[in-house]
Amino acid sequence: MVDALSARVTERRTSGQSVEGLNSSSLLSATAVLLLLALATLTVYLTGGTQSAAPHLYYVPIISAAFLIGPGGGIVTALAAGLLCGPWMPLNVETGTPQDFANWMIRGGGFLLVGIVAGLFRRDINERIRKFRDFALHNPVTGLPNRAALEDWLAPRLGRPLDDGKLLAIVKIRITKFEEVVSILGYDQGERLMRMLGGRLRSIQAADEPVYNINHGRFAVIARISDPQEAVQIARRMLESVHAPILLDGIPVTIGAHTGVAFHPTHGNTAPDLLRAVSQATQMAVERTVDCVIFDPEEGELYRQRLLLLSDIRVAPRTGQLLLHYQPQTRLDDGTCIGVEALLRWCHPTRGMIPPNQFIPLAEATGLISPLTLWVARTAIRQLKLWQEAGIDLSIAINLSARDLDSRTILREIEGLLESHKVPPGKLTLEVTESAIMRSYQTAVPLLEHMAEIGCTIAIDDFGTGYSSLASLRQMPATVLKLDGSFCIDLSADARQRQIVRSTIGMAHELGLSVLAEGIETAESLAEMRALGCDEGQGYLISRPIPEVEFRNWLSANGKTPGQVAGGSQEAERS
């Protein structure tokens, strides 16, 4: 903030307009005080002299001078009032009777006392205002100027070209994994970390590049540059400074960080526009796990659309926009349909059908996946009940995300739904990717074991794309292994691929697991999977994901023999 204030003072000294404004304000205040003095003097004289109550009017210019000009102005005005209402003002204007010396001296002393007290009061108020302003413009933890100070600094500088055609760059750095430090070492060490990082960033910047602590764990630097690469160099210096280990409570801590860059006037002519641009660039750097991203307006629009989509996801389960499509799963030896996988679809009221690969990852990244999972579970279990009443003996598989395995809430809800609808738990299959299980292994395995104990089928989805080991696979409470669709590609032409699939199926059978192949889209893939001993399958050759009414028609026509349904790729529709 000192740098910012110094720059502001320097600008005022070099700007005739600012100095002229300051002089005009002082001149206006002095003129107002003189007019009030003159008015008080005239009133006292016209009302007959100091024998009336009119001399009290002098307190108005005295107090006004103290607040408008300062303590000195209040004292000078008080002295002037003492003289004007002193020996120069008669006690009685009509008779010309002069005042006693003691009389006007006491009155003048009173004026002077009021001027001094008002001046001191004004000084105290100014000091309090300064402290409040200082508090409002600084982060209380790091002591660095905050976002309000940054906007205050930017406001007078935007909307006009900089000297020598330079760019004004904002470089923002976002500290990641800060919550891990707090959870392990506590908030006091977390605040100490922020102070140390703020000090480091301030020490590596030039005097004309102030560092702002614009939010919790987020710092920004403003710099005048000639070339965009200069801003990238600033970002690299900031990252190097932050990445250096910090000793906290005797523990060396390494902090992660990402940076974003935005330029004026290229990316905005107002402080909110520039801050929005640099925030989007930083968020993109975090999502892509790269060090630095320069704001791209086209990507910024996509990001804005993504946020709009995110707000719509929140209300989709409550407004009837969601629906389930069902993709049949069949035994490969005889083509009997044994169940379906319930796949979520979103029919947006204005955008139409939104592909799952657009909204599912977004929901997972923002923590909104659990309400969607719960909606899918509720709808699928209700459908199981309807099929049960209609004599359709099939199971339904639903997908669980890694976030769903972080707590017992979702699985407890699912257990309650099965009980309330009187649906046998064995008719519900919970599909979890191996990467999701390994990510939350300590919490996921006990929860899945509980669901297996009550009778639910546990399937490991997309097997072969994660990083689980054979030892961990042995400990997972699964009964079904779903091979990822990539294993079905070029089986006949790729001997190594074929051997990998054969070994995987054999390993699964040795562990007591049945194997379901995803992505069966050609008759050749179907034949190969049968030959390799795969138990079950699903894919576009059998059927694409279809609404429940169409599925019933398919079941009537193809319940025993898989029928080819043309069109599309499974990856485009699968959630």
Side-chain angles (χ1 to χ4, degrees):
M1 187 61 185
V2 173
D3 296 332
L5 291 176
S6 298
R8 192 176 302 172
V9 170
T10 301
E11 185 177 62
R12 283 185 176 180
R13 287 175 179 173
T14 57
S15 173
Q17 184 177 359
S18 298
V19 173
E20 181 182 351
L22 186 61
N23 291 339
S24 298
S25 177
S26 300
L27 182 61
L28 183 62
S29 297
T31 302
V33 170
L34 289 174
L35 288 175
L36 289 172
L37 271 174
L39 181 61
T41 303
L42 182 61
T43 302
V44 171
Y45 186 83
L46 293 178
T47 55
T50 59
Q51 64 182 355
S52 66
H56 292 298
L57 291 174
Y58 280 104
Y59 291 121
V60 175
I62 294 171
I63 295 174
S64 298
F67 276 87
L68 292 174
I69 301 174
I75 293 173
V76 170
T77 304
L79 292 174
L83 292 174
L84 291 173
C85 196
W88 299 340
M89 182 66 68
L91 179 66
N92 190 312
V93 175
E94 293 183 359
T95 62
T97 305
Q99 297 182 66
D100 292 337
F101 177 78
N103 187 32
W104 68 263
M105 282 296 293
I106 292 173
R107 184 184 297 110
F111 288 164
L112 184 60
L113 180 62
V114 170
I116 293 173
V117 171
L120 293 176
F121 188 60
R122 189 256 193 183
R123 177 178 294 175
D124 180 68
I125 290 177
N126 283 352
E127 180 63 19
R128 290 175 183 270
I129 291 174
R130 186 195 65 78
K131 288 182 179 180
F132 278 125
R133 178 175 174 78
D134 188 66
F135 179 80
L137 295 178
H138 286 76
N139 183 279
V141 174
T142 62
L144 294 174
N146 58 18
R147 184 174 62 86
L150 185 147
E151 293 182 349
D152 189 43
W153 191 92
L154 282 175
R157 292 164 175 81
L158 301 181
R160 55 186 175 86
L162 299 180
D163 299 336
D164 303 325
K166 290 188 175 182
L167 293 172
L168 193 65
I170 300 182
V171 184
K172 177 182 176 181
I173 185 167
R174 174 176 170 180
I175 309 302
T176 58
K177 298 184 178 179
F178 173 73
E179 290 301 326
E180 294 182 8
V181 175
V182 171
S183 64
I184 296 173
L185 300 178
Y187 279 99
D188 56 338
Q189 293 298 326
E191 292 182 351
R192 181 166 175 259
L193 172 64
M194 287 296 106
R195 286 193 294 270
M196 294 178 70
L197 291 178
R200 281 185 178 184
L201 293 172
R202 186 168 49 189
S203 67
I204 64 171
Q205 303 304 328
D208 60 345
E209 297 174 359
V211 179
Y212 296 86
N213 191 177
I214 59 176
N215 209 332
H216 189 63
R218 291 159 175 80
F219 299 86
V221 169
I222 303 175
R224 295 170 182 262
I225 60 172
S226 302
D227 184 86
Q229 285 304 312
E230 294 180 31
V232 176
Q233 292 299 324
I234 293 173
R236 288 176 180 170
R237 289 203 309 268
M238 296 171 72
L239 287 170
E240 290 174 0
S241 174
V242 166
H243 286 158
I246 294 177
L247 195 65
L248 294 175
D249 201 18
I251 301 174
V253 176
T254 302
I255 298 299
H258 301 273
T259 58
V261 180
F263 303 113
H264 166 72
T266 308
H267 299 144
N269 285 313
T270 66
D273 287 344
L274 283 175
L275 288 174
R276 181 167 54 250
V278 76
S279 293
Q280 289 182 10
T282 308
Q283 180 63 26
M284 292 175 191
V286 172
E287 292 175 355
R288 299 173 187 174
T289 63
V290 298
D291 288 341
C292 181
V293 168
I294 296 177
F295 178 71
D296 184 342
E298 292 185 2
E299 291 187 354
E301 177 59 25
L302 293 176
Y303 189 81
R304 190 181 75 86
Q305 293 297 327
R306 180 184 175 190
L307 290 180
L308 292 175
L309 195 64
L310 182 61
S311 65
D312 292 340
I313 289 177
R314 298 178 185 274
V315 300
R318 304 191 305 268
T319 53
Q321 299 177 28
L322 302 180
L323 64 151
L324 288 183
H325 282 188
Y326 301 92
Q327 186 168 36
Q329 299 173 334
T330 64
R331 283 202 299 261
L332 296 187
D333 56 356
D334 61 5
T336 300
C337 182
I338 56 172
V340 296
E341 181 178 4
L343 299 172
L344 182 62
R345 297 294 179 261
W346 183 8
C347 184
H348 194 278
T350 58
R351 304 185 187 190
M353 293 296 291
I354 299 178
N357 58 8
Q358 289 187 15
F359 71 88
I360 294 293
L362 180 61
E364 289 181 339
T366 55
L368 294 176
I369 191 66
S370 292
L372 299 185
T373 301
L374 187 57
W375 185 91
V376 170
R378 185 180 295 112
T379 306
I381 291 172
R382 188 183 302 120
Q383 188 61 62
L384 278 171
K385 179 64 175 178
L386 294 174
W387 285 349
Q388 179 179 300
E389 294 173 349
I392 300 175
D393 186 21
L394 294 174
S395 64
I396 292 182
I398 63 173
N399 292 278
L400 299 181
S401 73
R403 287 184 179 269
D404 297 330
L405 300 177
D406 287 336
S407 70
R408 296 179 177 271
T409 305
I410 293 295
L411 297 183
R412 190 182 297 117
E413 291 274 2
I414 292 174
E415 186 177 356
L417 288 169
L418 289 169
E419 184 177 353
S420 63
H421 285 81
K422 294 181 173 54
V423 171
K427 296 301 179 183
L428 182 67
T429 298
L430 303 177
E431 294 190 359
V432 189
T433 63
E434 55 173 329
S435 58
I437 295 177
M438 297 308 297
R439 171 183 160 183
S440 306
Y441 190 81
Q442 297 300 322
T443 58
V445 171
L447 292 176
L448 293 176
E449 285 178 344
H450 173 72
M451 297 305 292
E453 288 173 359
I454 68 171
C456 291
T457 301
I458 307 299
I460 300 177
D461 197 11
D462 296 341
F463 185 80
T465 61
Y467 48 88
S468 61
S469 65
L470 294 179
S472 61
L473 180 62
R474 180 174 56 84
Q475 297 173 6
M476 293 178 187
T479 56
V480 178
L481 188 70
K482 295 189 70 175
L483 288 177
D484 184 68
S486 59
F487 285 103
C488 290
I489 301 174
D490 297 330
L491 272 177
S492 59
D494 191 335
R496 295 184 65 183
Q497 173 90 326
R498 183 183 175 88
Q499 186 57 43
I500 290 172
V501 173
R502 185 194 304 275
S503 300
T504 302
I505 293 174
M507 174 198 68
H509 287 165
E510 287 293 329
L511 293 174
L513 304 176
S514 63
V515 180
L516 188 153
E518 300 180 282
I520 296 179
E521 300 188 0
T522 65
E524 182 183 29
S525 297
L526 176 60
E528 288 288 347
M529 282 297 177
R530 279 175 177 165
L532 293 173
C534 185
D535 304 293
E536 301 156 5
Q538 71 182 82
Y540 266 58
L541 178 69
I542 300 168
S543 173
R544 62 183 176 85
I546 50 180
E548 196 272 339
V549 173
E550 293 184 29
F551 169 70
R552 288 210 187 194
N553 295 333
W554 177 92
L555 190 62
S556 299
N558 303 287
K560 290 290 183 180
T561 304
Q564 185 170 357
V565 180
S569 170
Q570 187 184 38
E571 288 302 316
E573 291 205 39
R574 191 172 181 279
S575 59

